Amino acid sequence: MPGGRHLVIGVPFIWLFMFFMLPFFIVLKISFAEADVAIPPYTQIYSFVDQKIQLLLNLGNYTMLGGDELYIAAYLGSLKMALFSTILCLLIGYPMAYAIASARKEIQTVLVLLIMMPTWTAILIRVYAWMGILSNNGLLNGFLMSMGWINEPLQILNTNLAVYIGVVYSYLPFMILPLYANLVKHDNSLLEAASDLGSSTFNSFWKITVPLSKNGIIAGCMLVFIPVVGEFVIPELLGGPETLMIGKVLWQEFFNNRDWPVASLIGFVMMSLLIFPLIMLYGFLCL
């Protein structure tokens, strides 16, 4: 039935409109308002007076955002952190996913569960655990000093290195699972045929396995890159004063400064920037 098919297809679009597009437009509307001492703490951008609808758009927030080095540095810092974290997750996660896909069928499920088990614990607990590991008197420095490899504790906590460690640890499963789901479906006869034709193991891996796993690589990179751009908890707890990310700036504008229009503008620009990776993902998958 054509009507039933359209209904099934329409449900995801209704879901996306209700929980993505509608909040997106609400945030966009607030970004054109001005901060005010009221509840909610911003002015209305439209009014109805004398049977006329007046639309008042405040463009000052947009000009301020483009000329303020703090916000630009926060966006660039978030993109840099997300990019390098995604690369690290790919370099670490691909061999792990390949090893799981190459293991015996009866232990693949166990290995996947071991990868997923850390995600069953709240992220706050896991980040607090890393604070104890990376602190000056934590487990890592204690181990290194007991082995005689260092004479004094290393300053790891409250640095960008600690943030990278926390991000890679937290988002590594989101890279491994799409890669495993892709690699486990590969036809091993292609590698056998390449070997019979004289291809080396590395050459077969690079020219057959890696190209066939393109969709898994792209999906895993998107699942890591997009949430890391707006990450707040990990930089706040593990980072230091030099760790400047847009999620932290957004939280400060929203809760500390109570400037909802600026906070909405920051969130709107951040979401707009993330649309481009999604478009690129769609384009790669269609190739």
Side-chain angles (χ1 to χ4, degrees):
M1 295 178 60
R5 183 171 63 253
H6 293 160
L7 178 62
V8 172
I9 297 175
V11 170
F13 286 97
I14 295 174
W15 179 273
L16 288 175
F17 176 79
M18 292 296 297
F19 296 101
F20 177 75
M21 294 303 301
L22 186 59
F24 188 82
F25 288 127
I26 293 175
V27 170
L28 176 62
K29 178 184 78 71
I30 298 176
S31 69
F32 286 106
E34 297 183 15
D36 192 13
V37 182
I39 300 178
Y42 58 87
T43 60
Q44 296 297 327
I45 66 172
Y46 58 86
S47 61
F48 184 76
V49 180
D50 296 333
Q51 298 182 350
K52 297 179 181 179
I53 298 178
Q54 295 180 350
L55 186 63
L56 301 174
L57 301 180
N58 176 30
L59 302 179
N61 294 333
Y62 286 82
T63 57
M64 179 272 299
L65 185 67
D68 196 315
E69 295 182 357
L70 173 66
Y71 298 113
I72 297 176
Y75 281 116
L76 293 178
S78 297
L79 293 175
K80 175 185 174 183
M81 182 70 67
L83 176 62
F84 285 106
S85 298
T86 303
I87 294 174
L88 289 173
C89 285
L90 179 60
L91 294 177
I92 299 173
Y94 198 101
M96 297 177 66
Y98 185 79
I100 296 174
S102 302
R104 299 195 309 271
K105 296 292 184 181
E106 55 269 19
I107 66 172
Q108 286 184 4
T109 304
V110 177
L111 295 176
V112 171
L113 287 175
L114 291 176
I115 296 297
M116 296 177 59
M117 281 180 62
T119 63
W120 299 347
T121 306
I123 187 172
L124 277 175
I125 298 177
R126 288 181 279 150
V127 175
Y128 273 120
W130 275 109
M131 293 176 65
I133 295 173
L134 300 177
S135 62
N136 289 344
N137 57 349
L139 295 176
L140 179 59
N141 278 309
F143 172 76
L144 296 176
M145 294 180 67
S146 65
M147 297 296 293
W149 293 341
I150 58 174
N151 296 324
E152 58 182 16
L154 299 176
Q155 180 61 44
I156 303 176
L157 188 62
N158 300 326
T159 64
N160 285 338
L161 176 60
V163 178
Y164 279 113
I165 293 174
V167 168
V168 171
Y169 165 78
S170 299
Y171 288 94
L172 187 59
F174 299 99
M175 177 66 73
I176 294 176
L177 294 179
L179 287 171
Y180 163 75
N182 180 279
L183 291 170
V184 76
K185 295 184 295 184
H186 287 189
D187 187 359
N188 293 328
S189 62
L190 297 176
L191 298 177
E192 296 175 358
S195 178
D196 293 339
L197 293 174
S199 176
S200 64
T201 302
F202 177 79
N203 188 63
S204 300
F205 171 80
W206 184 251
K207 293 187 176 180
I208 297 177
T209 304
V210 173
L212 289 177
S213 59
K214 178 188 69 173
N215 292 346
I217 293 174
I218 296 173
C221 289
M222 291 298 103
L223 287 176
V224 174
F225 181 86
I226 291 176
V228 172
V229 170
E231 180 61 50
F232 166 72
V233 174
I234 298 175
E236 177 70 15
L237 297 180
L238 299 182
E242 75 278 4
T243 305
L244 185 60
M245 294 186 67
I246 200 62
K248 185 176 181 180
V249 176
L250 176 62
W251 189 92
Q252 290 175 344
E253 292 290 350
F254 194 85
F255 292 100
N256 291 352
N257 300 337
R258 297 277 298 173
D259 195 338
W260 285 25
V262 172
S264 299
L265 174 59
I266 294 173
F268 169 74
V269 173
M270 181 177 67
M271 288 187 292
S272 300
L273 291 175
L274 294 179
I275 290 176
F276 291 101
L278 293 177
I279 296 176
M280 292 176 60
L281 169 63
Y282 179 78
F284 277 114
L285 293 179
C286 291
L287 291 178

